[in-house]
Amino acid sequence: MGTEFWNGAEAAHRRVMMKAAGYSDKDIRKKPHIGVPNSYMAGSPGSAHLRQIAEAVKEGIWAAGGVPVEFGIPATCGNIANGAEELKYEQVGRDIVAMSVEFVTRVHNFDGLAMIASCDNIIAGCYLAAMRLDIPSMIVTGGSMQPGQYCGKTVVEADLDAARFSGADEEALMDMEDNVCPSFGACPSMGTANTMQMLGEVLNLVLPGTSTIPASDNAKLRKAREAGMYAVEMAKAGRKPSELITKEVLLNSIMFDMAVAGSTNAVLHILSYGYELGIELTLEDFEKYAKEIPCINAVVPSGPYTVVDFHYAGGVMNVMKMLESKLFTDVPGMYGTSWAEMLAKVKPQENKVIHSLERPLSQEPGLKILRGNLSPNGAIVRPTAVYEEVKYMKGKAKVFEGDRAAFEAIQAGEIVPGDIIVIRYEGCKGAPGMKELMLSIDALIGLGLHKSVGLISDARFSGFNFGAIIGHVSPEAYDGGNIALVENGDEIVIDIPGGEVSMLVSDEELERRREKWVCPPLKEEKGCLNIYAKMCRPAEEGGAMQPWGLDARFKR
């Protein structure tokens, strides 16, 4: 612990600041200081309840003999920016959150961290911060939202799209709005928020069995106090992320993500964690386990159930038990024991939500890497959310230089069954920020075209989405990838079972087009988006602002 930082004459100016903030001399000098970064934000159900959780965490820290120091970190709700150009800030937000935690922690010299987050790139950024700082760290999740009830049916936020595009009148839409999100917590499907909450347990950053406790269940507060207490124990023991997150632990997280059909954004995050820790991890690792691990999780959009159902069906630990024969179990767990020892205490519960490997929900993996001349460095699809009718497609390209242009064409009836939409210059550098394509994809789903139209992009897409949607195409258009050379009318093949996405254009013709291609100027001339575009790694390396050289990357 860093008690020397707070003792001696040199530390007088530090102590006086803490005393002026209300802390006692004994607490300041003798006890471990635990930072409590809180992503509370009043404008989102995923974060508006985090003050109460933070209080429980701090109570636990005090009870265990630590000193909690709470501070705020940025938080947004991706749904607020749904359809807006500002959605491209969300991916950049992961790095901003990580830097915010890094900044405050380094200045205040915390002995450990107990971070509080729920949603999307915020919780992903907290994990990244833990690995960068490499001090004893944990994350307390905000849990999932209860599903809504509307007209006798269970509904989630994504169900609004069908109503929006079906011509529902304003009164009916308002009625649905009032019922679709009835509690605090992350939207209860396998979107990025819940995917990343779950992965925290696998990564030894979230207390086992706690990540998916619904926000409305008071067990969330009880476990938050336990987490605060354990944060102090971790700080005293000096148990750091670099000791708890080995390459095998990261590979377990890939297997878990395949099994639960997690958000495709998890690929970016897991890759960035490997890079941060100096562990060699590539898309080839995802390809390997896509051939071995089928989807066993029946949560929306792969099945009819919600994350609340998932939690009460056994949650993350039940999935890990189902995967036990595939996992690396002789690896550290959060409590200082191995995963083998932890899983020995878990009784498998095969049920309608969480299936077994022997009787999976689908024979396909939850994620798959596609390659071909359109994406030689890899692209990503979620096969369990793709209808049989469009798992293999050959169609004519309709090319758009952004999400809104494609959306307007869909709305105008210019997209017909059999078309393959190509949306480019929305990648890490092109957007910049790797935008989620909520406008065009929501329109396809809402108009029922997701069963007959394909979409290929260098952008991301939401964990809520389903259909023949292929994202993360790399190299991206801004870097001169072949997606920049596609022309209207080019024939494109999407072969999800075969793992291919290609355009049927000769190499000679592509070279001719490349000679004429001119890289466009950056869309953002200043601010964090400009900095991100200049500092980020490509999507197949995680897309984070990690500009340090490749020689420094793989240390273990």
Side-chain angles (χ1 to χ4, degrees):
M1 293 189 305
T3 51
E4 66 279 359
F5 186 78
W6 299 103
N7 285 277
E10 185 178 331
H13 57 292
R14 299 170 188 152
R15 292 192 298 272
V16 76
M17 290 296 104
M18 291 288 285
K19 290 176 181 179
Y23 294 89
S24 73
D25 189 75
K26 182 180 178 180
D27 290 337
I28 297 166
R29 291 174 181 267
K30 303 290 186 183
K31 298 179 179 179
H33 292 221
I34 308 297
V36 185
N38 185 1
S39 61
Y40 164 81
M41 203 274 284
S44 168
S47 58
H49 63 307
L50 297 185
R51 279 178 171 168
Q52 188 177 22
I53 292 176
E55 289 304 314
V57 170
K58 290 188 292 183
E59 288 168 7
I61 292 170
W62 282 120
V67 178
V69 182
E70 183 182 357
F71 61 97
I73 54 175
T76 58
C77 177
N79 270 311
I80 297 295
N82 189 337
E85 190 65 19
E86 287 73 24
L87 193 56
K88 62 190 180 183
Y89 277 90
E90 285 291 299
Q91 171 74 357
V92 182
R94 171 187 62 182
D95 297 336
I96 293 172
V97 167
M99 291 176 191
S100 298
V101 175
E102 176 191 3
F103 161 49
V104 178
T105 299
R106 289 300 188 209
V107 171
H108 283 261
N109 202 49
F110 297 129
D111 298 297
L113 291 169
M115 298 177 257
I116 302 159
S118 299
C119 288
D120 295 12
N121 298 299
I122 310 307
I123 194 165
C126 288
Y127 297 161
L128 188 61
M131 296 171 202
R132 181 170 301 170
L133 290 160
D134 201 27
I135 64 172
S137 301
M138 67 160 54
I139 287 80
V140 179
T141 70
S144 60
M145 176 189 291
Q146 291 290 335
Q149 294 293 320
Y150 179 69
C151 295
K153 296 181 179 179
T154 297
V155 290
V156 295
E157 190 276 338
D159 291 318
L160 278 173
D161 294 326
R164 285 169 54 210
F165 291 100
S166 67
D169 61 41
E170 186 72 19
E171 184 176 346
L173 191 60
M174 181 72 73
D175 191 31
M176 191 174 188
E177 286 177 32
D178 289 343
N179 290 278
V180 74
C181 293
S183 77
F184 292 124
C187 300
S189 63
M190 283 307 301
T192 307
N194 281 302
T195 300
M196 297 313 297
Q197 290 192 56
M198 293 175 190
L199 281 172
E201 292 189 41
V202 186
L203 292 168
N204 296 320
L205 289 170
V206 174
L207 288 185
T210 68
S211 66
T212 55
I213 299 173
S216 58
D217 188 330
N218 283 336
K220 176 60 69 179
L221 296 178
R222 296 195 297 274
K223 291 299 181 180
R225 289 189 187 91
E226 287 184 25
M229 295 177 72
Y230 195 66
V232 177
E233 185 176 329
M234 289 181 74
K236 289 179 177 178
R239 199 172 297 134
K240 301 183 294 184
S242 60
E243 299 168 5
L244 293 172
I245 308 173
T246 64
K247 179 168 184 175
E248 290 73 23
V249 168
L250 289 174
L251 294 176
N252 284 348
S253 76
I254 293 174
M255 286 187 259
F256 178 88
D257 201 44
M258 294 291 173
V260 299
S263 167
T264 51
N265 290 321
V267 178
L268 295 166
H269 301 319
I270 293 170
L271 288 168
S272 73
Y273 300 154
Y275 203 102
E276 194 66 46
L277 291 164
I279 296 172
E280 186 172 2
L281 205 69
T282 69
L283 283 181
E284 283 75 14
D285 294 300
F286 289 83
E287 289 175 296
K288 171 180 169 22
Y289 291 112
K291 297 173 183 175
E292 298 181 19
I293 308 293
C295 176
I296 62 172
N297 177 32
V299 170
V300 176
S302 299
Y305 301 103
T306 70
V307 174
V308 175
D309 300 317
F310 174 89
H311 177 73
Y312 296 120
V316 170
M317 297 304 288
N318 192 24
V319 172
M320 294 295 275
K321 186 68 176 180
M322 297 298 182
L323 295 176
E324 189 171 15
S325 63
K326 296 285 187 179
L327 297 172
F328 296 95
T329 56
D330 189 22
V331 295
M334 194 169 186
Y335 289 128
T337 59
S338 70
W339 267 92
E341 292 171 280
M342 288 201 298
L343 291 175
K345 300 175 183 178
V346 178
K347 182 179 179 181
Q349 304 175 52
E350 187 176 358
N351 50 59
K352 62 186 180 181
V353 183
I354 298 172
H355 296 230
S356 66
L357 284 176
E358 295 70 31
R359 288 170 290 278
L361 176 73
S362 169
Q363 293 298 329
E364 295 192 272
L367 291 168
K368 193 165 187 176
I369 309 302
L370 306 182
R371 297 187 189 268
N373 68 358
L374 253 179
S375 192
N377 291 354
I380 294 171
V381 70
R382 180 152 57 176
T384 55
V386 181
Y387 291 90
E388 288 296 330
E389 301 95 303
V390 287
K391 285 186 175 177
Y392 180 90
M393 288 187 70
K394 184 184 287 186
K396 301 293 185 182
K398 290 189 175 176
V399 184
F400 301 93
E401 313 291 297
D403 190 21
R404 179 160 290 280
F407 169 75
E408 291 172 353
I410 296 167
Q411 286 283 77
E414 297 171 14
I415 304 300
V416 298
D419 284 343
I420 296 180
I421 298 170
V422 176
I423 300 177
R424 61 194 181 194
Y425 296 106
E426 293 282 24
C428 295
K429 298 177 183 176
M434 208 176 185
K435 187 179 177 186
E436 284 191 356
L437 302 182
M438 301 294 284
L439 273 175
S440 50
I441 296 174
D442 286 356
L444 286 178
I445 295 170
L447 294 171
L449 290 170
H450 56 295
K451 295 183 179 181
S452 59
V453 170
L455 188 149
I456 300 169
S457 180
D458 51 11
R460 302 182 298 136
F461 47 92
S462 170
F464 299 158
N465 292 147
F466 46 93
I469 306 162
I470 297 165
H472 304 212
V473 165
S474 186
E476 65 171 285
Y478 188 87
D479 280 337
N482 284 346
I483 190 172
L485 309 180
V486 183
E487 295 181 358
N488 285 318
D490 284 347
E491 197 164 37
I492 290 179
V493 171
I494 295 173
D495 182 0
I496 293 173
E500 181 183 5
V501 54
S502 292
M503 55 177 166
L504 304 183
V505 177
S506 69
D507 291 342
E508 293 77 14
E509 173 61 16
L510 287 176
E511 188 56 37
R512 185 187 67 79
R513 294 179 187 180
R514 186 172 301 283
E515 290 175 0
K516 296 180 179 180
W517 177 77
V518 177
C519 180
L522 274 177
K523 294 176 185 174
E524 299 289 340
E525 295 182 356
K526 59 183 180 179
C528 63
L529 294 179
N530 178 279
I531 295 169
Y532 175 83
K534 293 176 179 177
M535 304 292 277
C536 68
R537 305 216 67 82
E540 75 271 16
E541 294 180 7
M545 285 191 276
Q546 296 166 313
W548 34 94
L550 285 172
D551 291 342
R553 179 182 179 187
F554 299 141
K555 295 177 288 187
R556 55 192 178 115

